[in-house]
Amino acid sequence: MIQFILKRLGLALLVALTVSIISFSLLFLSGDPAAALAGETASDQDVEAIRRLYGFDRPMIVQYWDWLSGALTGDLGESYYFKLPVTTLIADRLQITMLLGVCGISFALLTAVPLGVVAAIRPNSIIDRVALFLSVAGQAMPSFWFGLILIVVFAIQLGWLPPSGTATWAHFVMPTIVLGYYAMPAIMRLTRAGMLDVLSSDYIRTARAKGASEGRVLFKHALRNAIIPVVSLAAVQMGFMLGGSIVVESIFALHGAGYLAWESIARNDLPTVQALILVFSLFYIIFTFLSDVLNAWLDPRMRAG
């Protein structure tokens, strides 16, 4: 198991290094960053002065090494638009994104797991078909469209919930539903498939033959084993959610890291965009690594090795 974890850790570090190279290269994909910062009316002298000011006249490998060295020590540069350290800027906004991500995955688990269990207990029933419909709809429906529908219905027409902001818990209800609904289909299908597989196992039939109650069979024996891959999937989905919060935060005007990404892209704030891509990617890498470790720990064969 230790060898497996070390291999996964090495792979995660390699992916993180690749992501850092891609993140840094984005600064130069749109052209000359000095010209973009100077503006269309700037003279050649102004562009050259900005190039020297920000160090764009140095070799690219030197610029990358300086940026990577700073990133490893927590220095991601200074925002061109906000005139603040990027690390401080992201740290202030990341709290809302993390809260939204935790609420979203909690909503997804609390909704999808019971539906998947009931759908497995009663296959081909109305509940099973409703779960299938929600699963297909969750995959087919874009997050921005679903968010706009919730705003129109619950904020504008009914007036039950505020359409934007972060002042109270009510401001997070609709964003949580939109973000959590994104993860529901995969969790629901995996729970249903796992329960169907476990319920057909010999030890389940043995437990029933010994007179165990149906609730004990379902929750102590069946669900405990079927939920293992679901927990692993939830860790991966959490990484997806943090990156996908850009759309949700933009729709509901939640000033988190996702909304900061939208602002930075719109205002050509390249250091902040670079840092956010790196941070969101690292979150996904970390949650994927934790998912692999959890799977290895739960697998008796891996623990024995």
Side-chain angles (χ1 to χ4, degrees):
M1 178 175 173
I2 296 177
Q3 185 179 4
F4 172 81
I5 293 176
L6 291 176
K7 286 182 179 179
R8 289 296 180 180
L9 181 60
L11 180 61
L13 293 176
L14 182 60
V15 173
L17 179 62
T18 305
V19 167
S20 71
I21 295 174
I22 296 174
S23 300
F24 177 79
S25 302
L26 290 175
L27 183 65
F28 302 93
L29 290 180
S30 59
D32 186 359
L37 288 173
E40 298 179 357
T41 60
S43 62
D44 293 340
Q45 291 80 7
D46 294 334
V47 174
E48 187 62 29
I50 290 177
R51 185 176 289 112
R52 289 194 301 270
L53 176 64
Y54 289 102
F56 296 139
D57 55 338
R58 298 175 299 164
M60 186 176 295
I61 186 66
V62 175
Q63 296 183 53
Y64 170 71
W65 177 251
D66 289 344
W67 179 78
L68 181 61
S69 301
L72 292 175
T73 59
D75 182 10
L76 295 171
E78 182 177 304
S79 169
Y80 292 161
Y81 179 81
F82 296 98
K83 304 302 179 183
L84 292 171
V86 174
T87 305
T88 303
L89 194 60
I90 294 178
D92 292 339
R93 300 289 192 95
L94 199 58
Q95 300 176 17
I96 294 176
T97 301
M98 291 297 294
L99 175 61
L100 182 60
V102 171
C103 292
I105 195 65
S106 300
F107 171 79
L109 288 171
L110 292 175
T111 306
V113 171
L115 280 175
V117 170
V118 175
I121 296 173
R122 302 181 180 276
N124 299 320
S125 63
I126 295 179
I127 296 178
D128 188 20
R129 297 187 182 279
V130 169
L132 177 62
F133 171 78
L134 292 175
S135 176
V136 173
Q139 286 184 316
M141 188 162 36
S143 298
F144 71 89
W145 185 83
F146 186 37
L148 293 175
I149 292 297
L150 291 183
I151 291 175
V152 170
V153 175
F154 293 102
I156 297 177
Q157 293 185 352
L158 298 177
W160 291 353
L161 297 169
S164 61
T166 58
T168 64
W169 63 268
H171 291 82
F172 287 91
V173 173
M174 290 191 292
T176 295
I177 294 174
V178 174
L179 194 62
Y181 193 56
Y182 169 81
M184 278 179 57
I187 295 175
M188 190 187 308
R189 290 198 310 271
L190 188 60
T191 303
R192 181 183 184 276
M195 286 293 293
L196 286 174
D197 183 59
V198 170
L199 288 174
S200 62
S201 301
D202 292 337
Y203 71 90
I204 295 295
R205 287 193 289 268
T206 302
R208 284 173 172 162
K210 289 183 177 181
S213 64
E214 191 65 18
R216 184 181 179 85
V217 170
L218 289 176
F219 296 104
K220 184 176 180 179
H221 299 287
L223 184 60
R224 186 173 63 178
N225 291 282
I227 204 68
I228 293 174
V230 176
V231 174
S232 178
L233 176 63
V236 177
Q237 288 291 338
M238 182 67 177
F240 275 123
M241 282 184 173
L242 295 178
S245 65
I246 296 175
V247 176
V248 177
E249 291 181 15
S250 299
I251 294 173
F252 294 98
L254 302 176
H255 291 270
Y259 191 77
L260 177 63
W262 180 85
E263 289 179 304
S264 302
I265 293 172
R267 291 159 177 166
N268 206 25
D269 191 354
L270 298 179
T272 307
V273 175
Q274 279 182 317
L276 286 169
I277 292 174
L278 180 63
V279 169
F280 284 137
S281 301
L282 288 178
F283 270 122
Y284 177 74
I285 293 170
I286 291 171
F287 281 115
T288 303
F289 172 72
L290 293 176
S291 172
D292 292 337
V293 172
L294 181 61
N295 273 334
W297 183 76
L298 293 173
D299 190 342
R301 294 169 299 177
M302 294 294 293
R303 282 186 289 178

mmCIF file of all heavy atoms in Angstrom, residues 85 99 193 262:
data_model
loop_
_atom_site.group_PDB
_atom_site.id
_atom_site.type_symbol
_atom_site.label_atom_id
_atom_site.label_comp_id
_atom_site.label_asym_id
_atom_site.label_seq_id
_atom_site.Cartn_x
_atom_site.Cartn_y
_atom_site.Cartn_z
ATOM 1 N N PRO A 85 -1.518 41.853 -3.363
ATOM 2 C CA PRO A 85 -0.883 40.542 -3.551
ATOM 3 C C PRO A 85 -1.923 39.497 -3.947
ATOM 4 O O PRO A 85 -2.990 39.406 -3.328
ATOM 5 C CB PRO A 85 -0.273 40.247 -2.187
ATOM 6 C CG PRO A 85 -0.088 41.589 -1.551
ATOM 7 C CD PRO A 85 -1.222 42.433 -2.041
ATOM 8 N N LEU A 99 -16.866 27.260 1.216
ATOM 9 C CA LEU A 99 -18.161 27.083 1.866
ATOM 10 C C LEU A 99 -19.200 26.597 0.860
ATOM 11 O O LEU A 99 -19.980 25.673 1.146
ATOM 12 C CB LEU A 99 -18.610 28.396 2.506
ATOM 13 C CG LEU A 99 -20.009 28.408 3.138
ATOM 14 C CD1 LEU A 99 -20.107 27.384 4.263
ATOM 15 C CD2 LEU A 99 -20.363 29.803 3.652
ATOM 16 N N ALA A 193 -26.153 1.355 -8.491
ATOM 17 C CA ALA A 193 -25.458 0.185 -9.028
ATOM 18 C C ALA A 193 -24.775 -0.604 -7.912
ATOM 19 O O ALA A 193 -24.801 -1.839 -7.909
ATOM 20 C CB ALA A 193 -24.431 0.628 -10.069
ATOM 21 N N TRP A 262 -13.666 35.249 -12.965
ATOM 22 C CA TRP A 262 -14.416 35.943 -14.022
ATOM 23 C C TRP A 262 -13.993 37.418 -14.113
ATOM 24 O O TRP A 262 -13.795 37.946 -15.214
ATOM 25 C CB TRP A 262 -15.909 35.834 -13.735
ATOM 26 C CG TRP A 262 -16.755 36.524 -14.769
ATOM 27 C CD1 TRP A 262 -17.174 36.018 -15.956
ATOM 28 C CD2 TRP A 262 -17.271 37.864 -14.687
ATOM 29 N NE1 TRP A 262 -17.922 36.942 -16.633
ATOM 30 C CE2 TRP A 262 -17.997 38.095 -15.890
ATOM 31 C CE3 TRP A 262 -17.184 38.880 -13.745
ATOM 32 C CZ2 TRP A 262 -18.627 39.295 -16.136
ATOM 33 C CZ3 TRP A 262 -17.825 40.075 -14.009
ATOM 34 C CH2 TRP A 262 -18.538 40.284 -15.182
#
